[in-house]
Amino acid sequence: MVCAPDGARSGFACAFSANKPLTLTLRHKEEGVEVWSCNGTPVDCVKMALAELCPRKPDLVIGGINHGDNGSVNTHYSGTMGVTMEGCMKYIPSIAFSLCDYHPDADFSPLKPYICEMIQRVLHDGLPVGVCLNINFPKQQTFEGVRICRMAKGSWTNEVTKCHHPRGYDYWWMVGSYSNDEPEATDTDNWALNHGYVAITPTRVDVTAYEVMEQLKNWEQ
């Protein structure tokens, strides 16, 4: 069962449509396969598929394959990860796949054996409740291997570009450049991708900073 946005939804993260009606369009159907599009966000697609299309609770939710890197802090902006987080919040094993190639004709074929194996592993072994997988592939034909990584500390700079319209008003594009703030660290997703490895980052829904809770106990009344 495929339910995907009807257009690009980069940067939508875990957003859902609270202020507009949603539609579903059947794009393709054959034995064992249905492909639907939705006019909403990636998270809307999961919600709609579970509510309206799936005859039972699915064994797995997959986001992607995304065009572009969803490592490091991009995790928080990614619509592909929004799909995966939504599935995880529904207690369904969930995986996000992304390729570090923004070209519309990106070659996904080198990813196939890895993705098939990873899906089989998750279907067989499951995932802990509240944990999903963020899996990123470097842009190349062969990979050095697979690394289990943490999210790199990084930041975006020069994020806004100002332009002037011929009709007399200013407007802005959200763009920017990503900076890896710990380039020497070898246990991060950025390092793995930059050195030709497939990066797997286990990701939690629960974002509580447990280590700070005791520090803040004196705030309680």
Side-chain angles (χ1 to χ4, degrees), residues 3-114:
C3 185
D6 59 8
R9 299 288 191 276
S10 290
F12 273 68
C14 289
F16 67 94
S17 299
N19 299 311
K20 74 172 186 179
L22 298 175
T23 60
L24 289 168
T25 303
L26 181 62
R27 300 290 183 175
H28 178 76
K29 185 174 183 178
E30 60 184 76
E31 186 176 355
V33 177
E34 290 186 12
V35 178
W36 295 79
S37 67
C38 175
N39 67 326
T41 70
V43 166
D44 288 335
C45 292
V46 180
K47 293 180 181 292
M48 292 290 284
L50 294 177
E52 299 293 330
L53 303 177
C54 293
R56 58 172 176 80
K57 183 177 180 178
D59 299 311
L60 186 70
V61 169
I62 296 174
I65 304 168
N66 182 66
H67 291 259
D69 176 7
N70 276 324
S72 186
V73 293
N74 294 339
T75 301
H76 297 296
Y77 303 118
S78 164
T80 305
M81 279 302 295
V83 167
T84 308
M85 296 292 278
E86 182 67 19
C88 194
M89 287 188 282
K90 296 288 194 293
Y91 305 107
I92 304 169
S94 301
I95 313 173
F97 293 109
S98 301
L99 173 64
C100 299
D101 186 349
Y102 291 91
H103 196 275
D105 294 326
D107 181 9
F108 295 112
S109 59
L111 285 59
K112 183 176 179 179
Y114 290 84

